[in-house]
Amino acid sequence: MAQLPWMSELAPSNIADWDHPSVLQSTGVVHRVGLGYEDDYDTKTAWIDRFADFLALPKVEKTTGLVIGPWWELDDGNGPVDQVIETLVSAAAQLPNLRALFIGDITSEESEISWIEQDDLSPLLSAFPNLQHFAIRGANGLSLGSCQHAQLKTLVIQSGGLPNRVVQEILQGKLPALEHLELWLGSEWYGGDVTLTDLEPLLNGELFPNLKVLALRDCSFADDLAVAISQSKIINRIEVLDLSLGNLGDDGAKALLACPAIKQLKLLDVHYHYIEHAIAQQFKQLGIEVDISEPQDPHRYDRRYIAVSE
């Protein structure tokens, strides 16, 4: 996928694990504060203690981006995130320039995405009024409360199964500055119960007047979603449509190809898909940037699996 504006602060190439240096790294580096297996065996460090050391560094107030990795001892199973939330909220005055926050940068080696335990993260939105980019991995127990923020431009939720109640919190919330909305819908086997009907308020184009990027990824009903988007009002005013990681097949692809508004996009991302080769080749004729990489064999299994679930 193209490098979109918020990624400049949270792109992997800019993220560095913070491992107790005496000073912060150079400007432009986003620090990842989390526990690793070495903490289990060597130091038995608690996350809140590590973060306290981070806050004690000179010039920590200049921090613009922060990534939170594992907050529990990895050999003891997933731990609750409530202390992380409380600690970050308490530290808000020490981080006045924070613009980008990623809660749950946890690899599959550290925890499966469907095992990550989240909580009500709305206190973070209240504590950091200047936040512009907010990314979350894991949806177990996740809530965004009333989901209100005047400055937030990017909201990303990566999950193996996103509960509809979280989607409704977003759609009923107040995010007037939102430009990039990215939701990994996931599988019903891991808590994903969003339906196409649930997304209708978003697709009718009346929400989020500044929205430029709509990413409804990892969707198990990607064909129906693509058909609905091709007939929606939202397609006429966004610049990027991302339906990647889902089980998109020929029916959804044909609907997108037949939609005139698709040609007005700057980017269409459908990578990881089940589209037959001959139909997939037609996307090259749209005259826009299209990512149609990672084709899957639609005949290999008895069903088309999404990319991320457990």
Side-chain angles (χ1 to χ4, degrees), residues 122-310:
S122 60
L124 296 173
L125 294 176
S126 300
F128 295 98
N130 295 320
L131 198 66
Q132 295 182 3
H133 312 292
F134 191 26
I136 303 159
R137 183 172 295 157
N140 285 348
L142 177 64
S143 173
L144 295 175
S146 60
C147 198
Q148 299 185 43
H149 199 285
Q151 304 297 325
L152 197 69
K153 294 181 178 180
T154 302
L155 177 60
V156 177
I157 303 178
Q158 302 174 348
S159 78
L162 186 61
N164 178 47
R165 57 176 175 74
V166 178
V167 173
Q168 295 311 308
E169 289 173 351
I170 296 169
L171 300 187
Q172 295 170 19
K174 295 181 180 179
L175 301 172
L178 194 68
E179 298 178 0
H180 179 131
L181 178 62
E182 180 174 331
L183 305 175
W184 295 25
L185 301 178
S187 167
E188 62 180 338
W189 300 107
Y190 296 96
D193 59 357
V194 179
T195 67
L196 188 58
T197 300
D198 298 325
L199 296 172
E200 286 180 358
L202 174 62
L203 301 187
N204 69 22
E206 296 178 3
L207 302 177
F208 314 128
N210 292 305
L211 194 68
K212 298 177 182 178
V213 178
L214 178 60
L216 298 173
R217 310 179 70 186
D218 200 41
C219 179
S220 61
F221 52 93
D223 276 342
D224 291 341
L225 179 58
V227 171
I229 290 176
S230 69
Q231 300 170 353
S232 71
K233 295 180 180 179
I234 193 71
I235 191 61
N236 294 302
R237 63 178 184 84
I238 58 174
E239 298 178 358
V240 175
L241 175 62
D242 185 346
L243 300 178
S244 64
L245 305 182
N247 61 0
L248 186 68
D250 294 349
D251 290 344
K254 290 176 181 178
L256 294 173
L257 288 166
C259 175
I262 290 293
K263 296 181 180 180
Q264 301 172 15
L265 295 174
K266 292 182 178 179
L267 171 65
L268 173 63
D269 190 342
V270 294
H271 82 268
Y272 188 97
H273 61 85
Y274 292 85
I275 305 169
E276 294 286 359
H277 179 74
I279 297 175
Q281 293 304 300
Q282 297 179 39
F283 282 93
K284 297 180 179 180
Q285 309 303 318
L286 289 176
I288 62 171
E289 182 180 355
V290 179
D291 186 346
I292 197 163
S293 59
E294 298 185 51
Q296 308 297 304
D297 184 353
H299 308 294
R300 183 176 181 182
Y301 302 108
D302 59 350
R303 61 182 298 180
R304 294 178 296 177
Y305 291 94
I306 58 177
V308 180
S309 53
E310 184 179 9

Side-chain angles (χ1 to χ4, degrees), residues 20-42:
H20 292 82
S22 58
V23 295
L24 295 175
Q25 296 193 36
S26 60
T27 302
V29 172
V30 175
H31 292 88
R32 180 182 187 264
V33 182
L35 301 181
Y37 285 106
E38 68 279 3
D39 296 300
D40 290 357
Y41 297 122
D42 299 335

